[in-house]
Amino acid sequence: MKLLAIDLDDTLLRDDNTVSDYTKAVLKKAQDKGIEVLIATGRMYQTAYPVAHRLGLGDVPMVLYSGGVIQRVESKELIWERAIPPEVARKVLAITKEHNIYIQSYIDDELLVHSETEFSRLYEEITGAKAVYVGDAPQKGTNKLLVVEDPERMTEVIAILSKEVGHMVELVRSKVNFLEIVAPHVSKGEALAFMGERLGIGLEDMVSFGNSENDISMLQVTGHSVAVGNAEEHVKTIAKEVCDTNEKDGVAKWIEANVL
């Protein structure tokens, strides 16, 4: 195994958004062994950086926005980007407004929200991001749109958006109440394929770790794939193996047993 691709939320991170010293030590040992470590998350740079920096892995690449951007941790070097065209973003925003669906945009590493709501406050509390209230729809390419809705309504929301714009964007859940909307052909799996070519590492020599729907694309394409014990049940069926939970350092335990 030459590359470890690891999701953050509910996979590497514990429920309180922290990582144990044991996990940090295991990842550093993997690096010392010559193995590439890559973060693959749905987060924006603003909220992924504090976690990645605390890991102490150096200027490693991060797949952000579930594949929409690849950027280095410390230097902020932009390696790759594919945004939702502004006209498509405006169409999505118009549909969500019509159906009273809460949605937020990500442009230039800023979280853009029409106006303050319980969902925007919840998102700020969970991620530490600071919302910018803009009112009008964005006039430039958007890295990601995110619907935050009650889980009970999410099936309805997905049906509405799939019918109206499913041919223009990719729709994928990252949590039971989060629906990510990204540009066509954007996914964590596509991002790993790109990084593999750049690093000279085949997908068959990678192992991916995840827990949710937006991890499926990379779990399917890498040579080995591991779902954490707390992963969604259908994600576990796709992964080749299941490790311990995020709360019990499942990723680090698996790496120590199988890689080091």
Side-chain angles (χ1 to χ4, degrees), residues 8 16 20 22 26 37 40 57 65 70 79 85-86 92 113 138 143 163 186 204 221 241:
L8 289 180
D16 63 358
S20 70
Y22 164 69
V26 168
V37 179
L57 299 175
Y65 304 109
I70 305 174
I79 298 172
V92 174
V113 178
N143 294 121
K163 178 182 177 181
V186 163
E204 67 276 8
V221 300
E241 196 170 340

Side-chain angles (χ1 to χ4, degrees), residues 12 14 26 57 59-60 80 88 91 93 96 131 141 146 151 154 160 162 166-167 169 188 205 216 225 235:
L12 189 68
R14 295 181 291 201
V26 168
L57 299 175
D59 204 22
V60 299
W80 187 88
V88 176
K91 183 175 179 62
L93 291 167
T96 55
L146 180 73
M154 192 56 82
I160 292 169
S162 295
H167 60 294
V169 294
K188 292 184 181 184
D205 294 322
I216 289 175
S225 55
V235 176

Side-chain angles (χ1 to χ4, degrees), residues 87-159:
E87 64 274 13
V88 176
R90 288 194 291 271
K91 183 175 179 62
V92 174
L93 291 167
I95 292 166
T96 55
K97 182 178 181 180
E98 177 186 352
H99 293 275
N100 194 30
I101 299 167
Y102 172 83
I103 193 166
Q104 55 194 36
S105 309
Y106 300 79
I107 299 176
D108 297 334
D109 202 45
E110 284 192 325
L111 168 61
L112 306 179
V113 178
H114 180 274
S115 55
E116 186 175 1
T117 71
E118 62 175 305
F119 288 130
S120 68
R121 291 191 294 269
L122 172 66
Y123 189 83
E124 286 183 305
E125 181 181 338
I126 291 173
T127 66
K130 295 300 179 185
V132 178
Y133 299 103
V134 294
D136 295 329
Q139 301 301 312
K140 59 187 295 188
T142 306
N143 294 121
K144 185 178 80 171
L145 297 163
L146 180 73
V147 170
V148 184
E149 264 294 351
D150 293 325
E152 297 77 16
R153 196 189 177 203
M154 192 56 82
T155 300
E156 174 197 348
V157 169
I158 292 172

Side-chain angles (χ1 to χ4, degrees), residues 46-57:
Q46 179 189 141
T47 56
Y49 171 75
V51 176
H53 178 70
R54 289 197 301 270
L55 290 174
L57 299 175

Side-chain angles (χ1 to χ4, degrees), residues 154-224:
M154 192 56 82
T155 300
E156 174 197 348
V157 169
I158 292 172
I160 292 169
L161 292 174
S162 295
K163 178 182 177 181
E164 299 289 341
V165 294
H167 60 294
M168 299 179 180
V169 294
E170 302 285 350
L171 306 171
V172 61
R173 284 189 311 104
S174 53
K175 289 181 180 288
V176 292
N177 58 335
F178 286 4
L179 177 67
E180 301 189 350
I181 304 170
V182 293
H185 310 297
V186 163
S187 69
K188 292 184 181 184
E190 293 276 359
L192 289 190
F194 174 86
M195 284 305 302
E197 288 187 13
R198 186 181 175 97
L199 296 170
I201 298 174
L203 289 166
E204 67 276 8
D205 294 322
M206 300 181 188
V207 56
S208 55
F209 301 84
N211 75 289
S212 191
E213 188 178 303
N214 70 335
D215 299 314
I216 289 175
S217 61
M218 68 174 181
L219 296 174
Q220 289 177 323
V221 300
T222 53
H224 201 75

